[in-house]
Amino acid sequence: MTSLGTIAECLKKSSRVVLSGHVMPDGDCLGSVAALGLGLLKLGKEVTLASPDPLPELYHFLPGADRFLIGEQALKGNYDTFVVLDSSVPDRLGPLKELLFRDLVVCLIDHHVGKHDFGHHVYVDPKAAATGEIIQDLLDLLQVPPQVEIASCLYTAIVTDTGSFRYQNTTPLTHRRVARLMEEGVDAARLNVLLFEQKSLLHLRVLQAALQTLDLTPCGRVGWMSVTRETLDSLGAREEHTDGLIDYVRSLRGVEVALLFREIVPGRWKVGFRSRGRVDVQRVASQFNGGGHLRAAGAVVEGEVGAITKGVVEAVLKAMQED
Amino acid sequence: MTSLGTIAECLKKSSRVVLSGHVMPDGDCLGSVAALGLGLLKLGKEVTLASPDPLPELYHFLPGADRFLIGEQALKGNYDTFVVLDSSVPDRLGPLKELLFRDLVVCLIDHHVGKHDFGHHVYVDPKAAATGEIIQDLLDLLQVPPQVEIASCLYTAIVTDTGSFRYQNTTPLTHRRVARLMEEGVDAARLNVLLFEQKSLLHLRVLQAALQTLDLTPCGRVGWMSVTRETLDSLGAREEHTDGLIDYVRSLRGVEVALLFREIVPGRWKVGFRSRGRVDVQRVASQFNGGGHLRAAGAVVEGEVGAITKGVVEAVLKAMQED
C-alpha cells in the first residue's frame, strides 16, 4: 500500500482525471467522487466525474451531480489518470472497468476491507467510517482551499455511511472532521432534510401494508414482514418504495434476525436477512442459494408465501440453536 | 444571568444537592441530571437525583437511572442546594416545584429560550443544542475526572436533543464535544441501539393504525394522522406508543406542517404541530389555547375528530397564506 501523500503527488502531476465510484452508487461514493473532482477542478485539472450507474434521485441535489457522466458515456474521454473510490474489486466498476485496461495511472482509495489487487497507487483505511473521511484528508494534502460545495459532498458521504453517526464505524475523528465541515459552511440541517426527510406518500403506504403482515416467532427473536406483488401494483409502487422496510423489523426489541419477503414477480420472492445478534445470516441465505455478509444477506425463493416464510424462519431458528 | 463559573463555585460549596429536570422527562433532562449528579457524587457531595415524572422505560439503561426519586418521594430529603435543569418555568417541575419555596440555593441551567425568572443563579445558553452540552462544560469547571458513565449520560442527552445531529441546533462544537465523549470511552453504537432500535411491537401496531388515517391537503403542504382512544385501548397501547408518530408525517416530501391528533379521553384531543417551513405553528396553536415554539407546538381541543381536523388544518392553511 502507498501513502495518501503519494496519491496527492500523483494527482498534482495529473492533467486529465476521470473519477468513479461503484455500481449502485450510494452517498459515500458519490459524495467522495464529487468532492475530490470539484477539488481537482479548483487546482486547474480537466476533470470528469463518472458513475457506472445513474445517480439515484435522492442525490441529485449534490453539488456537481449534474456533471456526472453515466456508464459508457465516460469511456469516450481522453484521460491520463483514473481515480477509483470506495471499491474493493474491479467488477464494482461495471462498464468503467474497461478504463483499467488503458494506459492510465490508476489510484484506488477505499475504506472497505477487501482485496484491492488493482491500481498503481492503492490507499485503504478500514478505520475510516467513509471514503469521504479519507478524501477530506487528501484535499488537505492537495491544499485545496475550503469550499462549501466540497464540504457538503463530504458531509453527505460521511452522514450516509455512518447511519447518521449511529454505526460502529463512527469514531471521535469522524465527529471532529464533521465539525470542520460545518465550520466551512455546511448547512447540515438542510442536507439532513434532503437526505432523510423526503419520503414519498407511496413509501408510507407500502409501509402500512407491510406492517399488517408483521409477525414474530413465539420466542420473539425472529421477525418478518412481506409485501405481495398485488400490493405494490395496486398502490402503483415500485421496488424502491420497499427500501428500508426491513429496518422496522430489525428495530424491534428482542429481534435478532429480521426478514423481509418481497414478491418480485408472482410466486417469486426476494428474501432479505438482517442479523443484529450472533447469527450468521449469510450461512442461512446460502441454504436458499443466496449470499451476503454476516449481518446482511439475501436470497430468491419460489413458491407460496406461507410455505416460504415457514421454511426460511425454521432455517433461521435452526441456525440460532446451533449457535 | 450569572456565569457558569459562578454556578460551579456554588456547587463546590454545597453539601446536600437535589437535581431535577422537567415533567415528561426526555433524554436531555435525564442525561443531564444523571451526569451532573454522578459528577457531584465523585466530588463527595450527598446527591439526590429526582424527576417529577417516572423515567420512560427507554431510559432505564442510563447510568444512575436506578437512583432517581420520583415526584413527591424527592420532597422528603434535607437539602441545601436545588439544581434545576432544562426547564424555563417553575411549572415544568411538577410536584418538585415545592422545593423552590424552601430555604435552598437554587441553580437553574437551561438551553431553551424562555422566562427563567426563578432561581438564585441562572445560566441559559440557547446556542447549546442540549442542556447536556452545558453540563459537559460545567463538569470541566468542577474538574470532575472523565468517567465513561458520565460521558454516556451526556452522549444520550446530546444525541436525543439533536435528533442524531440532524436538527438545526447542532453546531461544530456539538460534534467536538461528542468526539471527546467518545474518547472518554462512550460506546456510541451500543447507546444508539438502546435509544433508537428497541421499539416495542405495540409501537409498530400503533404506527400501522395511524398510517391508515394519513391524509394530506390537496396542495400537499399540510399532512396529518390521528389515533383514537378506541385504537389505543384495543391494542393495549399507552400514550408513549404514539411518540415519534408525527415525524412520519413531517418526513413526507412537500409537507411543511405536520399534525398529529391523539385522543386522550373520549372527545378530547391532543394536537401536535410540527413546522419545517416558515409557518410559525406556535401562533396557530395559540388560536386553540395551546403553545410551544416556532417549529413545534401543541394544543388540546374538544369535539369530533372530523370537525377538529378540519378546523385545525384550515387554521394552518390560513397562516400559510398570510405568510
Side-chain angles (χ1 to χ4, degrees), chain A residues 73-88:
Chain A
Q73 288 181 341
L75 297 177
K76 292 172 200 157
N78 178 21
Y79 316 112
D80 57 38
T81 307
F82 182 23
V83 180
V84 179
L85 298 180
D86 207 37
S87 309
S88 57

Side-chain angles (χ1 to χ4, degrees), chain A residues 164 166 170 172 175-176 178-179 182-183 197-200 208 212 214 248 250-253 276, chain B residues 164 166 170 172 175-176 178-179 182-183 189 197-200 205 208 212 248 250-253 276:
Chain A
S164 297
R166 289 185 186 180
T170 309
H175 282 286
R176 289 193 198 286
V178 166
M182 290 184 74
E183 282 156 359
E197 301 193 351
Q198 296 289 320
K199 285 216 171 68
S200 72
Q208 183 205 328
Q212 278 168 10
L214 176 64
Y248 289 91
R250 203 179 61 113
S251 71
L252 277 171
R253 183 163 44 221
R276 58 172 184 176
Chain B
S164 297
R166 289 184 186 180
T170 308
H175 282 286
R176 289 193 198 286
V178 166
M182 290 183 73
E183 282 157 358
E197 301 194 352
Q198 296 288 321
K199 286 216 171 69
S200 72
R205 296 288 184 224
Q208 182 205 328
Q212 278 168 10
Y248 288 91
R250 204 178 61 113
S251 72
L252 277 171
R253 184 162 43 220
R276 57 173 183 175

Side-chain angles (χ1 to χ4, degrees), chain A residues 122-142:
Chain A
V122 181
Y123 182 82
V124 180
D125 180 6
K127 288 197 303 299
T131 293
E133 286 202 49
I134 307 172
I135 300 303
Q136 191 173 357
D137 290 352
L138 179 58
L139 289 165
D140 284 348
L141 290 171
L142 289 167

